[in-house]
Amino acid sequence: DSGVTQTPKHLITATGQRVTLRCSPRSGDLSVYWYQQSLDQGLQFLIQYYNGEERAKGNILERFSAQQFPDLHSELNLSSLELGDSALYFCASSVAITNREADTQYFGPGTRLTVL
Amino acid sequence: KNQVEQSPQSLIILEGKNCTLQCNYTVSPFSNLRWYKQDTGRGPVSLTIMTFSENTKSNGRYTATLDADTKQSSLHITASQLSDSASYICVVSASGAGSYQLTFGKGTKLSVIP
């Protein structure tokens, strides 16, 4: 158990819909990262927040957005869903401000999103 | 274009044997290189993290090496166990002005058989 929790574990929805994925980081970690893992693309970095502020953006689509709240939990919002958005979405947390620092990221168990 | 290539794509070894996984990258400017182990359907688990100045780092039976000149890294697994069966992912971070980019390899799928 990494100490990072994600809800829900599974989500099935239809194209065009909007969903929200939730992540609670490990106690004491201020950075939260979101990743997408699909069968054909592998793992991709989406976005990072540190203490409520966006720190870095990866390959995040405009239809996707995220935020980190004062209690440090984070939400990833996916809208106008397409079939290709079906994937595992992972959240990770660390103490570092940025990934440039060589500290350990702890991953949650993931949310499996299926878009029908 | 930043790229990370891992080889082999898949590997089958007998329990107790050693193996080495390769990661070649063209990422600039280099910041750090990470190896992760990922069991099917689970989140990745960090094995090692190396910065530019480090060329070897161990974590139990896992030893990673980094050659920043040739832009190659390897992950050596000693005395393999059935529980080592997983995908191993190499991730390279490039730092820029105030931000960074992560480039992921597609992973090596390792199967350890009795």
Side-chain angles (χ1 to χ4, degrees), chain A residues 17-42:
Chain A
Q17 296 298 304
R18 173 190 169 93
V19 298
T20 298
L21 313 184
R22 183 188 168 104
C23 167
S24 293
R26 290 188 329 147
S27 176
D29 285 354
L30 298 179
S31 269
V32 169
Y33 309 78
W34 285 98
Y35 296 88
Q36 179 193 58
Q37 186 173 40
S38 57
L39 279 174
D40 55 343
Q41 295 274 4

Side-chain angles (χ1 to χ4, degrees), chain A:
Chain A
D1 183 4
S2 66
V4 178
T5 59
Q6 290 186 248
T7 56
K9 283 189 178 177
H10 302 276
L11 199 48
I12 301 174
T13 188
T15 54
Q17 296 298 304
R18 173 190 169 93
V19 298
T20 298
L21 313 184
R22 183 188 168 104
C23 167
S24 293
R26 290 188 329 147
S27 176
D29 285 354
L30 298 179
S31 269
V32 169
Y33 309 78
W34 285 98
Y35 296 88
Q36 179 193 58
Q37 186 173 40
S38 57
L39 279 174
D40 55 343
Q41 295 274 4
L43 260 175
Q44 290 194 89
F45 167 63
L46 296 179
I47 196 165
Q48 180 209 355
Y49 278 82
Y50 175 81
N51 203 21
E53 291 189 9
E54 183 185 305
R55 292 296 300 186
K57 259 186 176 178
N59 300 322
I60 189 166
L61 300 172
E62 286 190 9
R63 300 183 285 108
F64 297 180
S65 64
Q67 54 185 325
Q68 186 179 29
F69 295 87
D71 67 352
L72 300 177
H73 91 270
S74 177
E75 292 181 355
L76 179 67
N77 301 296
L78 314 176
S79 61
S80 302
L81 284 168
E82 301 174 359
L83 296 177
D85 297 327
S86 295
L88 264 172
Y89 291 84
F90 289 107
C91 164
S93 75
S94 75
V95 298
I97 295 176
T98 142
N99 191 267
R100 287 180 291 169
E101 298 170 37
D103 81 315
T104 299
Q105 289 185 24
Y106 295 88
F107 281 74
T111 292
R112 182 173 293 280
L113 173 67
T114 302
V115 182
L116 301 175

Side-chain angles (χ1 to χ4, degrees), chain A residues 33 35 37 40 43 45 48 56 90 98-105 107-109, chain B residues 31-32 34 36 38 42-44 46 49 51 89 93 95-96 99-100 102 104 106:
Chain A
Y33 309 78
Y35 296 88
Q37 186 173 40
D40 55 343
L43 260 175
F45 167 63
Q48 180 209 355
F90 289 107
T98 142
N99 191 267
R100 287 180 291 169
E101 298 170 37
D103 81 315
T104 299
Q105 289 185 24
F107 281 74
Chain B
S31 177
N32 59 67
R34 301 165 186 258
Y36 287 97
Q38 186 177 23
R42 308 284 295 268
S46 180
I49 307 165
T51 58
I89 302 169
S93 178
S95 61
S99 188
Y100 61 87
L102 295 177
F104 291 81
K106 293 193 182 297

